[in-house]
Amino acid sequence: MTRTTIDISGMWRLQPDPRNDGERLEFMKPNTDHRRWPLVRVPGCFDSQNENMIFYEGKAWYLTTFKNRDGWRGKRVVLTFHGANYRTKVWLNGQFLGENQDPFLPFSFTIDAHLVKKGQNLLAVCVDNQSYPEDLPGKYVGWRIFGGILREVTITATSRSYIESVHVTAEPDGHFKLAYSLRNEGRDGISGSLVVTLSDAGSRKPGHEIGRHEISMEAGARAEGLVEATVPGVKAWTPETPKLYVAHVEWRTRNIVLDSVDIRSGFRKIETRGTDLLLNGKKIFLMGFNRHEDSPRTDAAFDAEIMRQDLKMMKEAGCNFIRLCHYPHHEAEMDLCDELGLLAKCEIPMWGDYWGDEVFRKNHAARSEAAERQLRKMIARDRNHPSVIIWSVSNETCEQEPAVTETNRRLVRLAKELDPSRLATHVSNRWQGPHSRWYEDDIICCNGYPAIWGPAGGDQSFREKLKISAKAWREEWLPYIHNAHPDRPILVTEFGYASFTGTHDNRYSETWYAELMAVDFPAIAEKDYVCGATVWCWADHAWPPNNLYGFGNAPLSPFGVLTRGRKPKAPFAVLRKMFRAKRNADRKSKEI
C-alpha cells in the first residue's frame, strides 16, 4: 500500500473561550454537548467568523468528527495541521495528543492508537492567538494577529515502514542529489529497495530510473542515504523558462510498494561572486514586491485564488522575485512560484525586537530557541522548491545589542549548514553607524525609507523630498553599506512609501508615492553592486489597532501599491513600467 491522504477541513464547530474555561469544563470530552456550538469553515480566522471577536486575542475551541477508513487498519495514521496560529493544543477522543508553539508551519501527531474502532472520532483543538513574549513572533508584530486554524488539516495513512523525508538538490549541469530518510516502525526487520526515477513534470511518459539502493532495517530503526546521478540533457530552471522535473521515490520490498512520494524540483544554482548575484552562472537583478499572506476575503487564512491572482499580476508586471514576508507562507505559494518563474525569499517571524522592553530582554534566549526550531522546520519543508533562493532568519532586529547580533549570526550559520545550496541572510534597518552586522550573511539585505524615516522625512516640499530621497540612496546609504561590505551584493529588501487610497496631492497620496518610486528605483538599480530591490509592499494589509507609526489609527497598513481589495494605486503603473523596461534591457544585454 502506498500512502493515502484525506483532507478533513470543512465545517467545524467553534467556541470562543476568553476566560480559559475550556479545559476545566472538558470541552474535549466526547460526552460534552457540542450541538449548540456554531459551525464555521476551516481553514479560517476565528476573529473573522464571529462578529464579537474582531481584534480578539485569546483562546477558541474547534471540534470536528471523522470516521475510520478501511485502509487505515494496521497502518501508521498521521494527523497534520498545516498551520494554526499561534499556540495550539490537540485532543482526539478526549486523549491529549500534544501542543505546538510554531505558527505558520505544519505539525503532526501519530493517531492510530487513539482511534475508536466504531463510530465517530472526536477531534478537539484549542487555538490561542495571544502574544507571549517568549514566542515568535511574540509581543511586537507588524501585522494583524489573526487566530485560528489557518490552513488545511489532513490525515495520512502509510505503511509501518515508510519514507520519512526527501530533499533534492539539482544543478544546471545535470548533477542530481536526493537525500532520503526511511523509518521502520514495524515489529520485524525489513529489507527492500529504494528506487528513484525522474521525469518531466506534467509528462505522461514513464520516468527514467536514476538510482537504486538496497536497504535493510531492524525493527524501530532509521536509515539515511544519498542518491546521486548526472542526468544528461536537462533544461535549467530560470524565471524565463521555469522547467520542472518530478523525482518519484519508491520504497518497496519484493513486488510490494510500501510507500512512495513525488518531489517536484528544478535544475538551477544560486550563488554570489563578489558583488554579483548569479543564477545558473549568469548575473541577475531581482525585482519584485514584499507580500503578506493576507486576503480581503479570508484575512490570514489561505486564499488560493487571491494568491494566484497576485503572483500572476507580479509576473506580468516584470517581476522575477518575491519576498514572502515575514513568516513561512503556505506551500502552495512556493508551488506557484516554481511554475511561474518567481524567485523567492523565505523568512521566519523573528521580527522587530524592542530592546528597551525589560520583558523582551528577559525572553530573548527563549525566542532564540524558537527561532532555531522554526528555521529548521521551514527549511525542511520548503527546500525542494527551485524558486526558493534565500533563507532569512530575522527582520529589523536590535542589532546594537550583542545578544541579538549573536542570535542573527548563529541562525545564519545554521541555515547555511542545513542547506548550503541556498543563500542565508538577515534583514537589517539598523545599518547606519556601527550596527551593520552582516558577519556571515551571503548577501546584504537592507531596508530604508528616506522619505518617511530618513533625511526627507521632515516638512520639506515634495519636490525637495524627491531630490533628497534619491540622493540618500544614490550618494549616501548604498555607498555607505557597500564601503562596509565591498565583497558582497546588496539587496534592498524594503523601500517604498505610504498612500491612502484615492488621495492625491498631499504627503501620503497615491500621486506622491508614484513620483517617489520614479526616482528611488533608478537610484537603487543603477549601482552595479546592488543585486535587487523589492518594494514595500504589494497590497495594503490588515494592521494591529493603535499601531500605525504616525499614520493614524487605521485598520490597514497603507504601504501597498494595490488596495487590500487588489485595485491598483498610482505607484503600481510606474513600477510596472520601470520593472518591464529593466527586464527587457537585461535580456538584451545577455543576448549581446
Side-chain angles (χ1 to χ4, degrees):
M1 166 194 152
T2 58
R3 63 180 60 197
T4 59
T5 298
I6 63 169
D7 190 336
I8 62 169
S9 308
M11 302 306 293
W12 294 30
R13 296 196 180 274
L14 175 70
Q15 178 91 307
D17 187 13
R19 296 299 299 271
N20 303 330
D21 295 321
E23 292 192 50
R24 178 179 58 82
L25 296 176
E26 297 186 326
F27 283 175
M28 77 292 293
K29 295 291 186 180
N31 59 357
T32 301
D33 187 355
H34 306 111
R35 289 174 296 177
R36 289 189 293 182
W37 293 24
L39 289 167
V40 299
R41 183 164 295 280
V42 170
C45 300
F46 56 56
D47 338 28
S48 312
Q49 294 173 322
N50 183 319
E51 64 182 8
N52 294 319
M53 296 177 72
I54 298 172
F55 297 121
Y56 176 85
E57 291 191 24
K59 295 179 180 178
W61 287 73
Y62 290 89
L63 291 173
T64 193
T65 58
F66 61 91
K67 290 183 178 180
N68 291 359
R69 302 298 198 268
D70 291 338
W72 292 356
R73 190 172 304 158
K75 305 301 179 183
R76 169 180 168 268
V77 183
V78 177
L79 169 71
T80 300
F81 293 82
H82 293 265
N85 289 14
Y86 282 75
R87 290 187 173 188
T88 308
K89 290 185 175 181
V90 182
W91 292 259
L92 181 61
N93 298 319
Q95 298 297 310
F96 181 58
L97 297 182
E99 58 187 309
N100 178 70
Q101 294 183 13
D102 299 327
F104 308 105
L105 288 162
F107 56 98
S108 300
F109 305 100
T110 302
I111 62 171
D112 41 88
H114 302 285
L115 296 170
V116 297
K117 293 182 179 179
K118 294 182 180 180
Q120 296 278 355
N121 293 280
L122 176 69
L123 178 61
V125 184
C126 179
V127 184
D128 184 356
N129 72 330
Q130 294 177 87
S131 298
Y132 293 92
E134 65 269 30
D135 288 356
L136 286 189
K139 187 175 180 181
Y140 299 101
V141 180
W143 56 89
R144 183 89 61 81
I145 300 293
F146 290 108
I149 301 174
L150 305 186
R151 298 175 187 166
E152 302 85 354
V153 184
T154 60
I155 299 177
T156 299
T158 72
S159 166
R160 292 290 180 187
S161 182
Y162 60 94
I163 300 169
E164 183 180 46
S165 66
V166 175
H167 294 152
V168 169
T169 304
E171 297 187 350
D173 61 2
H175 189 204
F176 177 91
K177 294 192 297 185
L178 184 145
Y180 64 83
S181 172
L182 306 178
R183 276 197 182 273
N184 179 25
E185 295 182 359
R187 296 180 178 178
D188 303 313
I190 192 168
S191 296
S193 302
L194 184 95
V195 182
V196 180
T197 58
L198 190 70
S199 61
D200 287 4
S203 173
R204 295 183 178 180
K205 296 181 180 179
H208 299 285
E209 184 176 316
I210 61 172
R212 178 187 294 258
H213 284 187
E214 303 302 322
I215 300 167
S216 294
M217 287 187 289
E218 298 296 326
R222 184 169 180 257
E224 295 180 330
L226 182 67
V227 174
E228 289 193 78
T230 298
V231 184
V234 298
K235 189 174 183 180
W237 187 98
T238 72
E240 295 76 25
T241 57
K243 177 66 176 177
L244 295 170
Y245 295 84
V246 175
H248 179 68
V249 185
E250 279 190 354
W251 168 229
R252 60 198 192 197
T253 180
R254 300 183 182 89
N255 295 321
I256 300 172
V257 177
L258 298 172
D259 195 11
S260 67
V261 295
D262 288 333
I263 303 297
R264 193 176 69 168
S265 192
F267 288 81
R268 68 105 184 92
K269 184 176 183 179
I270 192 72
E271 59 187 325
T272 63
R273 186 179 301 153
T275 59
D276 291 341
L277 177 66
L278 305 178
L279 178 67
N280 304 331
K282 298 180 180 179
K283 187 174 179 178
I284 186 170
F285 187 89
L286 305 176
M287 294 179 293
F289 296 92
N290 291 263
R291 181 185 185 270
H292 267 292
E293 197 168 53
D294 179 81
S295 164
R297 305 185 306 187
T298 62
D299 294 321
F302 179 61
D303 187 332
E305 184 179 340
I306 286 290
M307 178 269 294
R308 178 170 290 273
Q309 174 186 319
D310 284 353
L311 269 58
K312 292 180 76 171
M313 194 172 178
M314 288 182 195
K315 185 72 176 181
E316 190 278 334
C319 299
N320 60 7
F321 180 69
I322 182 172
R323 181 186 179 202
L324 304 176
C325 54
H326 289 297
Y327 39 78
H329 286 215
H330 194 290
E331 194 172 6
E333 191 163 355
M334 282 154 283
D335 284 336
L336 188 55
C337 287
D338 294 342
E339 296 167 13
L340 294 178
L342 275 173
L343 296 160
K345 179 175 184 287
C346 298
E347 196 163 83
I348 60 170
M350 177 70 96
W351 186 93
D353 293 356
Y354 286 80
W355 203 256
D357 187 325
E358 179 66 24
V359 173
F360 185 91
R361 289 200 299 275
K362 289 181 178 178
N363 287 280
H364 179 73
R367 283 168 52 83
S368 297
E369 290 180 11
E372 179 175 334
R373 189 175 63 242
Q374 292 183 29
L375 182 63
R376 289 180 181 276
K377 289 182 179 181
M378 179 180 72
I379 291 176
R381 188 195 71 168
D382 298 336
R383 63 180 296 174
N384 290 320
H385 293 279
S387 59
V388 177
I389 58 169
I390 304 172
W391 304 119
S392 177
V393 305
S394 68
N395 177 71
E396 298 188 352
T397 54
C398 286
E399 297 170 71
Q400 68 272 24
E401 296 296 331
V404 176
T405 295
E406 180 54 33
T407 293
N408 281 327
R409 189 174 188 174
R410 179 173 56 84
L411 293 173
V412 167
R413 189 185 305 129
L414 175 62
K416 293 197 285 187
E417 290 171 359
L418 294 172
D419 181 14
S421 71
R422 289 177 173 84
L423 308 179
T425 188
H426 76 287
V427 178
S428 177
N429 68 338
R430 289 178 169 86
W431 41 263
Q432 297 105 330
H435 308 309
S436 55
R437 296 192 167 94
W438 289 283
Y439 288 118
E440 300 186 35
D441 301 51
D442 294 312
I443 189 170
I444 307 301
C445 290
C446 65
N447 297 345
Y449 299 87
I452 301 178
W453 298 296
D459 293 324
Q460 307 96 336
S461 71
F462 188 65
R463 293 301 155 199
E464 283 299 308
K465 282 181 177 289
L466 294 177
K467 294 177 184 178
I468 297 171
S469 183
K471 181 181 178 182
W473 285 116
R474 181 177 285 117
E475 300 181 18
E476 300 168 16
W477 290 8
L478 291 173
Y480 175 87
I481 298 172
H482 175 60
N483 289 335
H485 304 279
D487 58 337
R488 283 170 282 177
I490 297 171
L491 171 61
V492 178
T493 32
E494 291 182 25
F495 76 107
Y497 200 58
S499 66
F500 288 86
T501 306
T503 302
H504 295 278
D505 305 318
N506 72 15
R507 185 183 298 239
Y508 294 118
S509 68
E510 292 189 35
T511 45
W512 283 24
Y513 193 164
E515 290 186 52
L516 185 68
M517 292 299 93
V519 298
D520 274 7
F521 177 72
I524 294 168
E526 71 180 28
K527 302 295 186 182
D528 59 4
Y529 51 77
V530 172
C531 70
T534 48
V535 176
W536 186 272
C537 59
W538 174 246
D540 294 346
H541 61 92
W543 191 256
N546 303 312
N547 185 18
L548 201 54
Y549 298 130
F551 298 108
N553 185 23
L556 299 178
S557 176
F559 286 82
V561 301
L562 273 65
T563 67
R564 197 183 188 214
R566 276 29 181 200
K567 178 183 177 182
K569 300 184 193 177
F572 174 73
V574 172
L575 287 159
R576 178 182 180 274
K577 182 178 180 179
M578 292 189 296
F579 285 174
R580 288 168 65 93
K582 181 158 179 57
R583 179 195 62 187
N584 294 337
D586 288 351
R587 284 178 179 174
K588 289 180 180 179
S589 67
K590 291 178 182 179
E591 294 170 359
I592 296 174

